Amino acid sequence: MGKKGKKEKGRGAEKTAAKMEKKVSKRSRKEEEDLEALIAHFQTLDAKRTQIVETPCPPPSPRLNASLSVHPEKDELILFGGEYFNGQKTFLYNELYVYNIRKDAWTKVDIPSPPPRRSAHQAVVVPQGGGQLWVFGGEFVSPNGEQFYHYKDLWVLHLATKTWEQVKDYIYYNDVYAFNLDTFTWSKLSPSGTGPTPRSGCQMSVTPQGGIIVYGGYSKQRVKKDVDKGTRHSDMFLLKPEDGREDKWVWTRMNPSGVRPTPRSGFSVAMAPNHQTLFFGGVCDEEEEESLAGEFFNDLYFYDATRNRWFEGQLKGPKSEKKKRRRGRREEPEGGSKLACGGTGTQAPVEVVKEVVAEDGTVVTIKQVLAAPGSAGQPQSEDEDSLEEAGSPTPGPCPRSNAMLAVKHGVLYVYGGMFEAGDRQVTLSDLHCLDLHRMEAWKALVEMDPETQEWLEETDSEEDSEEVEGAEGGDEDEDEDSGEESGVED
């Protein structure tokens, strides 16, 4: 009887586990259906747009995980999508903004039948047909931030006619694929060699020889029950045609020389002059079982594919600042801010030494001496002054992750992103530029005071009307539809 009882107990446990798995699966399906219904509702609202409307406007609201692309023929930057979290709700966008570089002016472009609201999508601009902006994938987040819907759709914005088109002839897998812009078809690549391990958040760039560089990324693995450990990848791979053949590709692991970036995630990438790849910012998360703390960066690194070498981007500083430092008249900033967003100077020389162990076992030692800017009573020669300029912090974009980058006429533009201050997440809407040829100093085109950003404490109360309003994106011109939105039920 005892054995029979144990056997029956074991079957009971299996039955309970099966029921639980079925319940979780059913709940997951319902959550996805709920998000699909919410997305469909927003598309119904978007369908009310019947004309192309271009409206001069102030800079876009704060957001991250949007895309910032360079127009292939005009001096314009194109901003699409993104998200914003105010402490209680997550807002998703499918807005399209155009920034005129020469006029320093923003225009909001409302186009009929746009892609659904999304963030963390991929975007690329090509010159075909007068210019096209291609948008792939991304995700939709519920207002409470607990449910996620991952897109696998493909869209193209025809810049000449300002029309959106969804391209439905595609295949989506977690492999390497190439998309033909002439035939609108996908083809699967089967590279030889050993490529990157599975990961998210990796960055890709092209080489002058037509290869593709894949760098970094992030992944998690289970170390014990209910505990995951994150890995920040800092390895680099090259995907290139084998023997010059376009139908045969090969993976090669790269081991660049020079000063490589410290391990991080959430960094941003853009193509710099001379076929160099530029890396900006990011965050290094220190994970423990019950806590997560991040160190944010605003540094620049360049990767030269021709020489297979990393370079750290050092700013020389503006000429006007040279005289001030030589005369010891550097002005001190008035007051301070808990959420300061800008460059800060050290009060005494600080030597920073970092040892980074790459995944291939290489130990890279990074040593940097930050001199005290404007230290009185310390005469220095012209050479010493120039050295100080190279090592001293220069005001510019504050440390951040998930910023948007674009390069036009040798000028780097950095827009938005986010950083954290304690439990608070600050989403940025500032715009900075840097002349990559001169490398003198950052210029602020749009400034933002993080202290003025609304932040709401978390609440357990969740109402359907609030959820719809949150995911809607909060557009003033769409608030009129709030009456309809409040009727949506999950």
Side-chain angles (χ1 to χ4, degrees):
M1 294 296 292
K3 291 183 179 180
K4 184 178 179 180
K6 289 183 178 180
K7 187 174 182 180
E8 291 298 327
K9 184 178 180 181
R11 289 181 178 177
E14 292 177 3
K15 188 175 181 181
T16 301
K19 286 183 177 179
M20 182 60 67
E21 183 178 355
K22 184 177 180 180
K23 183 178 180 181
V24 171
S25 177
K26 184 177 180 181
R27 184 176 61 184
S28 298
R29 287 196 301 270
K30 184 180 184 303
E31 290 176 350
E32 185 171 87
E33 291 171 357
D34 291 343
L35 288 183
E36 288 177 346
L38 196 57
I39 293 171
H41 169 70
F42 294 146
Q43 286 185 286
T44 300
L45 296 179
D46 291 333
K48 295 180 180 180
R49 303 177 186 176
T50 58
Q51 297 180 344
I52 301 173
V53 180
E54 300 182 54
T55 309
C57 63
S61 60
R63 63 194 63 196
L64 69 153
N65 288 329
S67 58
L68 185 66
S69 308
V70 172
H71 196 293
E73 298 179 354
K74 301 179 181 180
D75 293 334
E76 295 178 346
L77 306 181
I78 305 168
L79 178 71
F80 174 74
E83 64 181 281
Y84 169 68
F85 179 60
N86 69 355
Q88 287 185 354
K89 288 185 285 187
T90 300
F91 296 78
L92 271 295
Y93 306 99
N94 63 346
E95 302 164 324
L96 185 73
Y97 289 93
V98 174
Y99 175 70
N100 188 302
I101 296 174
R102 295 186 181 276
K103 297 181 180 179
D104 186 24
W106 290 90
T107 300
K108 184 180 180 184
V109 185
D110 291 315
I111 300 176
S113 304
R117 290 153 174 77
R118 68 190 61 204
S119 65
H121 52 277
Q122 297 296 319
V124 64
V125 172
V126 295
Q128 279 87 343
Q132 298 172 343
L133 172 69
W134 289 86
V135 175
F136 177 77
E139 68 179 13
F140 180 90
V141 186
S142 64
N144 60 15
E146 295 181 359
Q147 301 176 36
F148 300 85
Y149 181 88
H150 295 93
Y151 294 104
K152 52 183 180 181
D153 51 352
L154 181 64
W155 294 76
V156 57
L157 172 63
H158 300 280
L159 298 176
T161 59
K162 294 184 175 61
T163 55
W164 281 107
E165 176 187 358
Q166 184 177 5
V167 182
K168 298 182 179 181
D169 179 21
Y170 70 92
I171 303 174
Y172 177 78
Y173 293 99
N174 190 22
D175 287 319
V176 183
Y177 278 80
F179 183 77
N180 190 305
L181 297 177
D182 296 321
T183 62
F184 283 15
T185 57
W186 288 96
S187 60
K188 183 178 181 180
L189 304 183
S190 301
S192 59
T194 303
T197 58
R199 63 192 62 190
S200 66
C202 60
Q203 297 290 352
M204 303 172 66
S205 63
V206 297
T207 68
Q209 296 77 24
I212 299 174
I213 292 290
V214 177
Y215 173 76
Y218 181 83
S219 63
K220 280 188 175 183
Q221 61 181 358
R222 182 62 53 87
V223 293
K224 58 181 180 180
K225 184 179 180 180
D226 299 327
V227 177
D228 293 329
K229 180 181 180 181
T231 300
R232 297 179 301 274
H233 299 282
S234 58
D235 49 356
M236 179 178 288
F237 294 83
L238 172 65
L239 179 64
K240 65 177 182 179
E242 188 173 4
D243 300 327
R245 297 172 52 183
E246 295 184 357
D247 61 337
K248 194 173 183 180
W249 295 73
V250 59
W251 282 110
T252 303
R253 181 160 184 158
M254 308 291 288
N255 186 23
S257 59
V259 181
R260 68 181 67 184
T262 56
R264 65 189 67 186
S265 60
F267 53 88
S268 304
V269 173
M271 295 305 298
N274 301 323
H275 301 288
Q276 294 183 337
T277 304
L278 186 150
F279 292 75
F280 171 80
V283 58
C284 177
D285 290 324
E286 296 297 334
E287 297 182 70
E288 297 182 2
E289 292 189 11
E290 300 296 332
S291 64
L292 176 65
E295 177 186 2
F296 290 81
F297 304 96
N298 61 349
D299 47 0
L300 289 173
Y301 287 89
F302 295 86
Y303 173 69
D304 190 322
T306 304
R307 291 185 281 178
N308 191 27
R309 185 177 180 85
W310 283 103
F311 297 92
E312 187 175 8
Q314 294 282 2
L315 302 187
K316 301 174 183 177
K319 294 181 179 179
S320 59
E321 289 296 320
K322 293 182 181 179
K323 297 180 180 179
K324 291 183 180 181
R325 283 197 285 269
R326 282 199 291 269
R327 297 172 185 171
R329 296 180 181 176
R330 186 178 180 91
E331 298 180 359
E332 295 295 333
E334 296 181 3
S337 173
K338 295 180 181 179
L339 298 177
C341 184
T344 57
T346 54
Q347 300 301 316
V350 177
E351 181 177 288
V352 179
V353 179
K354 296 181 180 179
E355 286 192 353
V356 181
V357 180
E359 295 183 357
D360 58 4
T362 304
V363 178
V364 180
T365 302
I366 300 176
K367 180 178 180 180
Q368 185 179 18
V369 178
L370 302 180
S375 300
Q378 297 182 7
Q380 50 197 11
S381 64
E382 293 287 338
D383 292 339
E384 290 173 340
D385 182 70
S386 63
L387 289 175
E388 181 190 26
E389 291 162 17
S392 299
T394 303
C398 66
R400 64 190 67 194
S401 69
N402 303 97
M404 284 63 75
L405 301 190
V407 177
K408 184 73 171 182
H409 298 319
V411 177
L412 167 66
Y413 295 87
V414 176
Y415 172 82
M418 61 84 72
F419 70 91
E420 296 172 349
D423 294 332
R424 177 175 176 180
Q425 174 179 303
V426 179
T427 307
L428 301 165
S429 61
D430 52 350
L431 178 65
H432 299 260
C433 68
L434 172 67
D435 189 322
L436 296 176
H437 297 294
R438 299 181 180 224
M439 290 295 290
E440 289 182 349
W442 287 96
K443 178 181 178 182
L445 300 175
V446 177
E447 296 183 339
M448 173 189 176
D449 181 5
E451 291 280 7
T452 63
Q453 185 173 111
E454 178 187 43
W455 180 256
L456 307 177
E457 296 298 329
E458 292 187 5
T459 177
D460 294 332
S461 62
E462 297 178 4
E463 297 182 2
D464 292 343
S465 59
E466 292 181 352
E467 289 199 357
V468 174
E469 177 188 356
E472 171 63 24
D475 293 346
E476 292 181 2
D477 58 338
E478 292 174 339
D479 284 345
E480 299 175 358
D481 298 317
S482 60
E484 295 182 36
E485 296 165 23
S486 62
V488 177
E489 297 182 358
D490 291 340

